[in-house]
């Protein structure tokens, strides 16, 4: 059972188990707003004033948030690495084309660009 003023665990579970594709826009907005409100309530309520079940629920949510943030940072790192590799390949191809043009110019077989 959740503490007074907090979202019930049953409601949280139901929201998390319902696929996003089956939720209306109103449901999605409501879920987001109630989740933010519950996080805020949990952040301002001292742990010594929370029931043991509420403390456990808050810790589980915090761990999930942390894992989500870690996953996002890994994804961002992967995107940055892919972008860097792409830039390096583009630069290498550009330099190769320049070298080919210069070699053609020196050998006299090019269009003298």
């Amino acid at each position: 059972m959740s503490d007074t003023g907090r979202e019930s665990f049953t409601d949280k579970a139901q929201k998390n188990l319902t696929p996003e594709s089956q939720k209306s826009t109103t449901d999605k907005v409501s879920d987001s707003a109630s989740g933010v409100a519950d996080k805020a309530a949990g952040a301002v309520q001292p742990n010594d004033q929370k029931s043991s079940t509420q403390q456990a629920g808050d810790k589980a949510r915090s761990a999930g948030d942390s894992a989500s943030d870690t996953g996002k940072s890994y994804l961002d790192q992967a995107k940055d690495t892919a972008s860097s590799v792409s830039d390096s390949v583009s630069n290498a191809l550009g330099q190769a084309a320049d070298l080919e043009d210069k070699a053609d110019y020196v050998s006299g077989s090019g269009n003298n660009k």
Side-chain angles (χ1 to χ4, degrees), residues 26-103:
T26 305
D27 289 339
K28 291 176 186 178
V29 170
S30 175
D31 289 356
S32 179
S34 63
V36 168
D38 190 62
K39 282 183 185 182
V44 298
Q45 183 181 14
N47 280 336
D48 62 354
Q49 293 180 8
K50 296 178 185 178
S51 66
S52 58
T53 54
Q54 190 66 60
Q55 286 182 22
D58 287 352
K59 286 180 183 176
R61 186 199 62 240
S62 178
D65 291 347
S66 178
S68 177
D69 290 343
T70 299
K72 287 179 186 173
S73 67
Y74 287 145
L75 180 60
D76 289 341
Q77 289 176 13
K79 287 179 183 177
D80 290 346
T81 300
S83 177
S84 178
V85 167
S86 175
D87 290 346
S88 295
V89 168
S90 292
N91 288 339
L93 292 173
Q95 290 174 355
D98 286 346
L99 287 174
E100 183 180 16
D101 289 345
K102 289 176 183 175

